[in-house]
Amino acid sequence: GAGVSQSPSNKVTEKGKDVELRCDPISGHTALYWYRQSLGQGLEFLIYFQGNSAPDKSGLPSDRFSAERTGGSVSTLTIQRTQQEDSAVYLCASSLNSAGANEKLFFGSGTQLSVL
Amino acid sequence: KNEVEQSPQNLTAQEGEFITINCSYSVGISALHWLQQHPGGGIVSLFMLSSGKKKHGRLIATINIQEKHSSLHITASHPRDSAVYICAGAKASNYQLIWGAGTKLIIKP
């Protein structure tokens, strides 16, 4: 597609349920980032994928959070046993190469997760 | 102290004013990004720069590597420029992005 696509755009779930959030980066982009943004707060780094390298998972807040990137393209962020504090907008971004290597970032429109 | 600091945190100005938003960083970075986030909207990349100055329309971004400082300027500001402006530095060591807290800009007509 022309841009970074995220689905679903909204997700309402009950506390304790598992959720999967999907990100389709721009075709050919090797770098993919997941962030979350709580209401009125800045961006919180979650995980970074770069090509075939091991992902940088240093931002994942707990072991309930995991992410994978299949075939170097689509990424899925999974939150197990959701808690109310997981409610936030989850944003995905991609860049052609690493965002430090003089590459612009392209963001998806996010998934608004609400845990009741 | 945050590794990337923005100022001001909030800025309200009248339409037509020249706007400056500042970003200082304390770590080695390979590039600095300026992004825009409208209320309820997505995030749009405005600039990515590692030296000098870039201009796009009414927006100008500058960076001084020695002083570890970047500025985003908006000339002839307009109410549609109202948004949160965020700077982020890409760490030279691992390319992880370090985010500023954002500057909320309101332009009044």
Side-chain angles (χ1 to χ4, degrees):
Chain A
V4 178
S5 177
Q6 289 188 246
S7 59
S9 55
N10 282 282
K11 177 71 176 177
V12 180
T13 190
E14 293 180 350
K15 179 182 172 180
K17 300 279 190 183
D18 298 352
V19 295
E20 281 190 355
L21 311 180
R22 177 185 167 107
C23 173
D24 269 294
I26 293 173
S27 178
H29 279 197
T30 63
L32 187 148
Y33 297 81
W34 280 101
Y35 295 93
R36 72 176 175 182
Q37 187 174 33
S38 301
L39 190 62
Q41 301 297 310
L43 286 164
E44 178 187 0
F45 168 74
L46 297 177
I47 189 168
Y48 166 52
F49 295 91
Q50 173 57 52
N52 295 321
S53 302
D56 177 353
K57 304 180 181 180
S58 60
L60 295 178
S62 77
D63 59 8
R64 295 186 296 104
F65 288 72
S66 63
E68 62 177 20
R69 189 177 183 193
T70 54
S73 181
V74 172
S75 178
T76 302
L77 177 69
T78 302
I79 309 172
Q80 296 177 308
R81 305 181 302 282
T82 51
Q83 303 294 311
Q84 288 182 331
E85 61 263 27
D86 299 334
S87 297
V89 175
Y90 288 80
L91 290 158
C92 174
S94 72
S95 61
L96 186 59
N97 291 301
S98 165
N102 297 326
E103 296 289 345
K104 286 183 75 171
L105 277 170
F106 295 84
F107 278 82
S109 53
T111 294
Q112 172 75 62
L113 175 66
S114 300
V115 182
L116 304 179
Chain B
K1 190 177 190 294
N2 294 332
E3 291 176 309
V4 174
E5 297 222 345
Q6 283 186 241
S7 64
Q9 187 176 359
N10 292 280
L11 179 57
T12 300
Q14 290 297 132
E15 182 174 357
E17 285 189 39
F18 181 81
I19 302 299
T20 295
I21 299 171
N22 296 299
C23 179
S24 297
Y25 51 94
S26 57
V27 294
I29 66 169
S30 56
L32 189 126
H33 297 256
W34 281 102
L35 305 106
Q36 179 193 58
Q37 185 173 31
H38 281 281
I43 297 176
V44 175
S45 178
L46 299 174
F47 296 102
M48 188 285 307
L49 66 167
S50 53
S51 65
K53 174 180 173 179
K54 286 190 177 181
K55 184 176 189 291
H56 186 259
R58 294 180 295 106
L59 301 177
I60 303 166
T62 64
I63 188 167
N64 185 315
I65 300 297
Q66 287 72 29
E67 294 184 4
K68 294 188 175 180
H69 181 268
S70 177
S71 293
L72 177 69
H73 305 286
I74 306 174
T75 61
S77 59
H78 191 276
R80 64 175 174 267
D81 297 327
S82 299
V84 175
Y85 292 83
I86 309 166
C87 70
K91 269 189 166 180
S93 56
N94 61 8
Y95 295 150
Q96 188 178 118
L97 290 168
I98 309 298
W99 296 83
T103 294
K104 185 175 181 180
L105 174 66
I106 297 173
I107 304 296
K108 294 185 175 181

